Amino acid sequence: MTHPFLDLAPLTPAHFAAIERQTASLLGTRQDVVIMQGEALLPLEGCIRSGARPGSTALNVITGPYGQTFGNWLRDCGVTVVDLAVPFHTAVTAAQVREALAARPEIDFVSLVHAEAATGNTNPVAEIGEAVRAHGALFMLDAVASVGAEPLLPDAWGVDLCVIGGQKAMGGPAGVSAVSVSERAWQRFAENPQAPRRSYLSLLDWKERWIDAGRTALPHAPAQLEMLALDACLERIESEGAAAVMDRHARAAAATRAGALALGGGLAPFVHEARDAAPVATTLRTPAGVDASELVAQALAADPTLPLIAGGGALAGEMLRINHYGPDATQGVVHSSLAALGAALSDAALGGSGAPVDLEAARGAVSAAWQRG
């Protein structure tokens, strides 16, 4: 017997290289793009361990949990880390980055998350990139959540290492990821004696065995199903149009925020300013006395397919998020998610503020915001 998922012809180097070119086109980059065979934490850690030189100093911007992770990796590499942390309900500013760089001229590496899905904020990368470029530091950007949902221009913004994943706004697989690498990043890797070699984390191995060798033989067997899924995902984005995909995400974010405010029940946007809110996910603070995990569980009991999740760690009790990305960036999903939360909030068993819930007002606000775009 044959199976469509199992009995496939091997993925050729030419097909692999074609998927790389499609990925580069999505990013609008002329830099080398490496598609790595694992979830996006693989290239993120690979970039830091390749670019973080022992004894150097890095500026690590923290606007959510991933920024915290990057700081830990940098310290593990023997780097002096200057953490620039801002409250998770806001975004970092270019002025804050410039000030941090001016205070420590020796900084030669900057790490930043574009959009933090976990906290629902997004950062002004274009302006920050200008500041980093003027300082001369290497700039690494985690764009896993932002790619496909909002403008992402690594070359124009001076991003040396731009890491993306397919599982959020792109609506694709989680098992492969990619990174664009600038020439000066390759040089930095080559000059770093502690950069991983002969390792799954090694970007230099990909350069030597794949890029410099003419992309004629893959370094190891590719994750075939995930690569084919990424190929299909990129074709779907091209068919819809990248601008249309981003517009759909922007509408979903605006409609969710407007609908949550109209819904009532004590819910409030976790990210205070709409300009700082990410288009991939809207985070909401629950009213006093209402546990976010319990509220989400009750909402999902009615429809477990809804993209609702409670916050992680210390935020698990007070924050929830609606993940309106990829195929869930639709008006219908926004309506259904808010309706489920409203019904759960109306249940007296949850306790809380007892603030009234207005499902019709929420529906009207969602529709109006979606139409405004």
Side-chain angles (χ1 to χ4, degrees), residues 290-306:
V290 175
D291 183 272
S293 298
E294 294 179 8
L295 179 62
V296 167
Q298 188 154 330
L300 290 176
D303 184 353
T305 68
L306 293 174

Side-chain angles (χ1 to χ4, degrees), residues 26 114 146-153 157 169 237 240-253 279-280 324 329 370 373:
L26 177 66
H114 190 179
S146 60
V147 62
E150 56 186 303
L152 177 61
L153 303 168
W157 296 347
I237 292 172
E240 183 178 353
V245 175
M246 287 188 283
D247 179 69
R248 182 161 51 82
H249 283 82
R251 289 174 188 268
V280 288
H324 40 70
W370 193 279

Side-chain angles (χ1 to χ4, degrees), residues 64-117:
Y66 281 101
Q68 294 171 325
T69 297
F70 298 162
N72 293 335
W73 285 338
L74 286 162
R75 290 182 179 89
D76 191 47
C77 293
V79 173
T80 298
V81 179
V82 178
D83 284 327
L84 172 55
V86 301
F88 290 176
H89 63 255
T90 187
V92 72
T93 66
Q96 289 173 308
V97 172
R98 280 194 295 269
E99 183 178 345
L101 292 171
R104 299 292 293 269
E106 72 273 24
I107 289 172
D108 61 7
F109 189 95
V110 175
S111 51
L112 173 72
V113 179
H114 190 179
E116 286 267 13

Side-chain angles (χ1 to χ4, degrees), residues 16-36 154-155 162-164 177-182 186 203 206-207 210-211 215 230 234:
F16 194 102
I19 298 171
E20 279 187 341
R21 289 193 296 273
Q22 285 179 284
T23 304
S25 178
L26 177 66
L27 294 175
T29 183
R30 301 180 67 180
Q31 299 173 356
D32 290 324
V33 169
V34 178
I35 299 180
M36 300 192 75
D155 291 8
C162 183
V163 177
I164 65 169
S177 48
V179 54
S180 64
V181 187
S182 72
W186 283 129
L203 285 159
W206 275 97
K207 178 170 172 54
W210 171 244
I211 297 172
R215 295 181 171 88
L230 178 60
L234 289 163

Side-chain angles (χ1 to χ4, degrees), residues 11 16 35-38 42 199-200 202 206 209 217-223:
L11 190 73
F16 194 102
I35 299 180
M36 300 192 75
Q37 306 297 282
L42 174 63
S199 164
Y200 209 56
S202 178
W206 275 97
R209 298 175 59 192
L218 288 162
H220 47 71

